Amino acid sequence: MGTIGPVLPTTGALRPLGLDQVRLTGGFWGERQQRNAKATIPHAHHWLEQTGWLGNFHLAATDDLAPHRRRGREFSDSEVYKLAEAMAWEIARGGNAPLDELSTVVAAAQEPGGYLNTMFGRPGQAPRYSDLTWGHELYCYGHLIQAGVARLRGGVRDALTNAAVRAADHVCVEFGPSGRQALCGHPEIEMALVELYRATGTARYLDQARLFVDRRGQATLPDIELGRAYFQDDIPIRERGVFAGHAVRALYLACGAVDVAVETGDDKLLAAVVRQWEATVAARTYLTGGMGSRHEGEAFGDDYELPNDRAYIETCAAVASVMLSWRLLLATGEARFADLAERTLFNVVAASTSLDGRAFFYANPLQQRSAGEALDRSRPWPRASSSERAPWRDVSCCPTNVARTIASLGGYVATADGGGIQLHQYAGGTVTSGDTALTVATAYPWNGTVRIRVDRTADAPWSLSLRVPAWAGEAMLVTPEGAKRVGPGYAVVSRAWCAGDQVRLKLPVAPRWTDADPRIDAVRGCVAVERGPLVYCAESVDHDPAVALDAVNVDRSAPLSERPLPALGRDVVALDLPAPTTSAAGNGWPYGSSSTAEAEPGNLTLVPYHLWANRGPATMRVWLPVAPSTPDRR
């Protein structure tokens, strides 16, 4: 058994360390990983049974799946597979989950030849592959294969892995060079096939993934009202300049393209994805790292089209963005990819799940104008229906996606190369690579100090590289040789190490004002507040009911004071600042001279964005208007 992790390229600038080498033992991410195991995974399992989505496999196995008996959307099989993957990673990192039972249920529904889908192909159902545009059959295979890969990397060959391999073999026959010249409306299978190639060494899986990537953008899918850009089928990926269309589809395709490029040595394809990532980060990404600004088509908007209250920022798109950033980091070794992964993890992925691990956001806007009402937790809800997290949704791709991501998070923290070890994300735990073992102690992101102790080391010198985020500007690095200031990128300590040696990285997590590019019209004249990697927001539950968050103004020259907020967590830091409330004269017309506005003194409390909506329905905003009379003292 080799390294256990979700992304294991055979080549690249950096080699990922897996779940067997990185153990998260506490702190921000360690606690969330424990909550994921104890609450989120069992919760998702319960709802898959409650909704009948898991029962579809029981019915399929007994040939009793008439159309009127099947439950869930056409892609509901994928939620079972994502849960299976989450369970596989949880078991691989030393936990427990009822995966054997789930695997048996899934495998029993597979048909001779490897076909496996509960929506198509049985009496009374539409024929196999009769709706590749919307049917999600290949998409579902992708998640099945990724679950199988997780199990294989955990050293287990069972019913789930056998089902995944048989399905992949079926796809290679059905959609190979001599098969259907077609592809799925939802990319996903591309990266799954590459990981199966990496796990098994079977070249036809890589060949099939490359074939799917090359077919995309050839107008293979039908034109629709949203255009072929919705499926990324309008322009070949090598010619695209920026991510467009359905955000999750675009990001999943980019992940698969990077995987294909790395394994085939296609530097031009890799460069194309990097170019698209750069353009998207520069003009189509939110402060939180979220992607996807349009509810229509769950899509990227035009450059600088980044509304706050209508932001979509699907949780699955955040997961996909982290997956892509990690792949690009492994391929290039460049810190900017880890920077975006950190921003997205702390501000969207962490925001998606409630503090009890049993309710979830689908969309993650940066402003909530209406508090809404508390949700009934006994039933599923529409996917973007309220200001509260829902226990389950009619489309529940996000809970299982987050569950598999958090379970495998140890595989997104550290890497190694011929020169040493690199730490890209900071979490309390242990890191091992060969003869070297480290302990990482930190209260990050609440505190900026990260301590690394060498517990075991080889005699030969090696380098420890610590990422200094771009937001930090400058950090203090303390080594056995002394202290020095270091800038963004990687602070590298090269020496002959001894057991007991320690290094400290001190990142400045003091609160700071953040401006937006003036081309983002939605936030022109506004500022945001960040502290370390965390974006902050104002939430109505911290203020008098008479205070309307859409009427506050802030003085950016005013001090930001910190205080603990134990109601949201042991180490949580809230921020307070003076903020007058401005109200215009009510004359039945919402336009006029600003001279009609009157300001009343007040105070504003800011909380980490990822924690909002954990205390009942609330209004919220991230970007705060600057008071017109306040001079800019930057």
Side-chain angles (χ1 to χ4, degrees), residues 137 180 221 277 509 591:
E137 284 159 285
R180 301 170 188 261
L221 297 166
W277 182 93
V509 294
Y591 309 101

Side-chain angles (χ1 to χ4, degrees), residues 551 581-600:
T581 299
T582 301
S583 58
N587 58 4
W589 183 243
Y591 309 101
S593 170
S594 60
S595 62
T596 63
E598 297 180 359
E600 299 180 3

Side-chain angles (χ1 to χ4, degrees), residues 100-181:
D100 289 341
E101 175 188 349
L102 196 67
S103 299
T104 301
V105 171
V106 167
Q110 192 165 34
E111 297 183 39
Y115 183 83
L116 177 53
N117 193 285
T118 68
M119 183 74 182
F120 296 92
R122 291 175 176 80
Q125 296 182 327
R128 298 179 183 183
Y129 309 122
S130 58
D131 187 9
L132 286 167
T133 305
W134 302 107
H136 290 74
E137 284 159 285
L138 295 177
Y139 168 85
C140 289
Y141 282 142
H143 284 300
L144 169 63
I145 292 167
Q146 287 187 305
V149 167
R151 200 67 168 138
L152 281 172
R153 287 185 175 151
V156 177
R157 186 77 184 235
D158 61 1
L160 182 66
T161 61
N162 290 337
V165 169
R166 292 180 64 207
D169 290 340
H170 165 80
V171 169
C172 291
V173 171
E174 194 75 22
F175 293 89
S178 301
R180 301 170 188 261
Q181 303 302 297

Side-chain angles (χ1 to χ4, degrees), residues 77 113 257 532:
D77 289 2

Side-chain angles (χ1 to χ4, degrees), residues 363-436:
N364 295 272
L366 274 67
Q367 183 173 1
Q368 183 70 38
R369 293 184 179 274
S370 173
E373 298 180 356
L375 296 185
D376 177 0
R377 284 202 171 192
S378 67
R379 67 179 183 88
W381 286 81
R383 57 185 170 189
S385 59
S386 75
S387 63
E388 279 213 307
R389 297 169 182 87
W392 202 250
R393 297 186 185 272
D394 298 331
V395 176
S396 274
C397 48
C398 299
T400 52
N401 221 352
V402 171
R404 68 176 182 140
T405 302
I406 299 299
S408 62
L409 195 60
Y412 291 92
V413 170
T415 59
D417 61 11
I421 296 174
Q422 304 81 37
L423 296 185
H424 308 285
Q425 307 299 337
Y426 297 119
T430 59
V431 177
T432 60
S433 177
D435 296 326
T436 303

